[in-house]
Amino acid sequence: MTESSGVLPGLSPVAGKPIITAFDGGRLTSDAGILLLAEIDRRLGICEHLAGCIEDPRAPERVRHTLAEMIRFRALLIAAGYPDANDCDTLRSDPAFKMAVGRLPESGGDLCSQPTISRLENLPGPVALKRMMAAMVDLFCDSFATVPRRIVLDIDDTEDRVHGAQQLSLFHAHYDGRCFLPMHIYEATTGKPVAVILRPGKTPDGAEVTLVLRHVVRAIRARWPRVDILVRGDSHYGRHEAMSWCERNRVGYIFGLGGNKILLGRVTDLAEDAAMGRLAGEADKVRRFGEFRYAARTWKVERRVIARIEASAQGTDTRFIVTNLAGTPKALYETIYCARGQMENLIKAHKLHLASDRTSCSKATANQFRLLIHTAAYWLLHTLRGLAPKASFWREAQFDTLRLGLIKVAARVTEMKTRIKVSLPTSFPYQESLAMLAARTVKLPP
């Protein structure tokens, strides 16, 4: 049987019946789940706070899109998997996004276009960006119902490849290309973002690490004067300036320490003991731990260094960390330092699942602003995930899983005189989960 199948020709009949296709389904959206994220943003006030840090130079009587509306639209697009500003042109009339921003799905005006978003990205200057970064630290503190006794700040950077003569881009030999190396700071226990800072494509020096830690820690301590803070990072964050500042300001630290001949010489006996233990059949991999006081040439004082030696079929591997914490070497290395491996997953959520490496603007300030909006999208998905029960599958789900399961929901939107009806699919597999999360979203403190 050959019969026209509308706009999708070539579809085979089913049970002898032809398939007729047409774009006549009405006001449909494929992202109904962003209504939950929009409600989370209203409760947390993320986009309103960011918008409040920017001075709007436009004439008020000619404004069609407020700064808060544009930031919310952009953050919701990113959370829903549309990371490019060009996506604004495609989705500016989508009924779900219009409702999420506060406009009626049919009679309300369309949302902002790509050129408008581009002008917004180039609007904030250094002062506004500093205010927004301070607002993000305030958001982090506000997210706790009670003041924590102790927080753990993981700090690391990640490659952000550039393509063109962008401000702050540098050639990095390790990555064999021009890049940024934005610095990420997260609270390790909760996975909440504290700061994401655009920076040149080079390893940070001691002065830069100290400057960042000083601003972040002082902002947190302004809200929580008595909180204990532990900072963790790999070896290129273990600068003597940063460690000295931590020691003077009641901040614990545990950093990786690059090995050298002197350090390796201090653990020769442990390395031999581990190798002999493996030969004697103790285990396939034999570990030994030791500690000693050590001062590099640039250090003014000796510090506690912990060594981990592992003998395996591949040979002997030795790692060092430097810390001002008390505790056994084994516990400090295996329980505290190695736990910072979770930082890779947090950066992955920010960089891969939210595409925060789309820093293609020529101005550094515009790219920093993009990182802030991507961090706002991170907050929305992180909060949504945190609303799920502890035993729920969603509580540990990755952001892309949350997006595919709960955000990418088809719906028909009908605007009536007195109400708006959102018709979700009868066959939607996660009906109970979506309803439960919606009910918990309403209970978030405004």
Side-chain angles (χ1 to χ4, degrees):
M1 177 182 292
T2 60
E3 187 170 333
S4 173
S5 58
V7 297
L8 297 180
L11 296 181
S12 301
V14 176
K17 295 184 179 181
I19 300 173
I20 308 300
T21 58
F23 291 114
D24 57 1
R27 302 288 293 184
L28 298 175
T29 180
S30 60
D31 300 283
I34 63 151
L35 296 175
L36 270 68
L37 299 183
E39 189 61 31
I40 290 173
D41 179 59
R42 292 187 185 97
R43 299 280 172 169
L44 299 182
I46 304 173
C47 297
E48 292 286 349
H49 279 87
L50 292 178
C53 298
I54 307 173
E55 293 185 6
D56 193 345
R58 300 173 297 174
E61 67 276 7
R62 302 183 66 181
V63 170
R64 295 177 55 192
H65 312 283
T66 67
L67 296 179
E69 287 177 342
M70 290 189 285
I71 293 174
R72 178 177 292 145
F73 183 32
R74 187 79 165 92
L76 291 174
L77 284 172
I78 292 169
Y82 306 104
D84 293 321
N86 290 336
D87 297 316
C88 297
D89 286 339
T90 307
L91 295 163
R92 59 191 304 232
S93 60
D94 183 277
F97 283 100
K98 289 172 69 173
M99 287 191 294
V101 174
R103 300 191 178 192
L104 293 173
E106 294 186 25
S107 59
D110 286 349
L111 303 179
C112 61
S113 62
Q114 179 271 327
T116 304
I117 283 291
S118 294
R119 286 190 291 270
L120 170 67
E121 291 176 342
N122 286 275
L123 178 60
V127 174
L129 290 172
K130 289 178 182 178
R131 292 172 182 165
M132 284 187 275
M133 294 171 75
M136 283 299 188
V137 177
D138 286 337
L139 173 63
F140 165 75
C141 294
D142 291 338
S143 68
F144 289 82
T146 59
V147 178
R149 184 185 64 84
R150 180 174 184 257
I151 61 174
V152 180
L153 300 182
D154 280 339
I155 183 171
D156 204 352
D157 49 64
T158 183
E159 180 204 13
D160 183 352
R161 187 62 63 96
V162 304
H163 305 279
Q166 296 165 256
Q167 290 180 349
L168 299 185
S169 66
L170 293 175
F171 181 83
H172 197 291
H174 177 74
Y175 299 111
D176 192 27
R178 297 183 68 85
C179 64
F180 304 128
L181 285 182
M183 188 182 296
H184 291 242
I185 302 178
Y186 298 87
E187 203 287 312
T189 306
T190 60
K192 296 176 179 179
V194 181
V196 181
I197 305 166
L198 186 76
R199 50 178 309 281
K202 65 183 181 68
T203 302
D205 58 21
E208 184 180 0
V209 176
T210 304
L211 179 65
V212 171
L213 290 179
R214 182 168 68 244
H215 281 294
V216 170
V217 171
R218 285 181 176 176
I220 295 174
R221 286 258 172 85
R223 296 283 301 274
W224 301 334
R226 298 184 179 181
V227 68
D228 291 332
I229 298 177
L230 169 63
V231 178
R232 300 188 303 199
D234 62 18
S235 58
H236 64 267
Y237 286 94
R239 308 294 187 176
H240 71 93
E241 299 95 336
M243 291 187 287
S244 297
W245 185 87
C246 290
E247 291 160 355
R248 295 193 304 268
N249 290 273
R250 194 171 56 85
V251 175
Y253 63 81
I254 184 165
F255 294 119
L257 184 64
N260 56 40
K261 292 182 179 180
I262 296 177
L263 291 172
L264 293 172
R266 300 284 292 271
V267 296
T268 301
D269 293 343
L270 285 174
E272 292 178 354
D273 184 64
M276 294 302 295
R278 181 179 177 278
L279 290 175
E282 181 178 333
D284 290 337
K285 291 183 178 181
V286 176
R287 281 190 170 187
R288 297 288 186 266
F289 294 90
E291 66 172 287
F292 50 87
R293 305 293 294 182
Y294 169 76
R297 185 178 303 172
T298 57
W299 299 1
K300 296 181 180 179
V301 296
E302 289 188 339
R303 294 186 169 94
R304 186 186 186 191
V305 172
I306 291 170
R308 186 276 287 158
I309 300 93
E310 180 177 274
S312 66
Q314 285 71 41
T316 301
D317 177 62
T318 304
R319 303 292 177 89
F320 299 96
I321 57 175
V322 56
T323 183
N324 62 348
L325 301 180
T328 64
K330 180 179 171 62
L332 288 174
Y333 186 87
E334 291 187 338
T335 305
I336 297 180
Y337 180 73
C338 289
R340 63 175 294 273
Q342 174 65 12
M343 178 72 167
E344 297 296 329
N345 292 327
L346 302 179
I347 293 178
K348 176 184 176 182
H350 198 286
K351 179 181 175 182
L352 179 61
H353 298 157
L354 296 176
S356 64
D357 57 351
R358 301 294 181 93
T359 46
S360 57
C361 298
S362 59
K363 291 172 57 178
T365 52
N367 286 322
Q368 176 63 72
F369 183 49
R370 282 193 175 188
L371 286 178
L372 287 165
I373 298 180
H374 282 270
T375 305
Y378 182 106
W379 267 110
L380 297 179
L381 288 171
H382 182 274
T383 304
L384 178 65
R385 183 172 62 186
L387 293 174
K390 292 184 179 180
S392 169
F393 160 80
W394 303 109
R395 190 61 176 261
E396 301 297 330
Q398 295 186 147
F399 284 176
D400 57 347
T401 303
L402 284 175
R403 179 187 297 130
L404 291 174
L406 300 175
I407 307 302
K408 295 292 185 182
V409 184
R412 174 178 283 108
V413 180
T414 307
E415 181 185 334
M416 305 177 188
K417 186 174 182 179
T418 58
R419 60 195 174 100
I420 300 171
K421 184 179 181 182
V422 180
S423 302
L424 300 172
T426 304
S427 59
F428 180 57
Y430 306 119
Q431 295 181 27
E432 293 183 1
S433 297
L434 193 65
M436 176 268 297
L437 291 172
R440 293 193 171 199
T441 298
V442 176
K443 297 180 181 179
L444 283 172

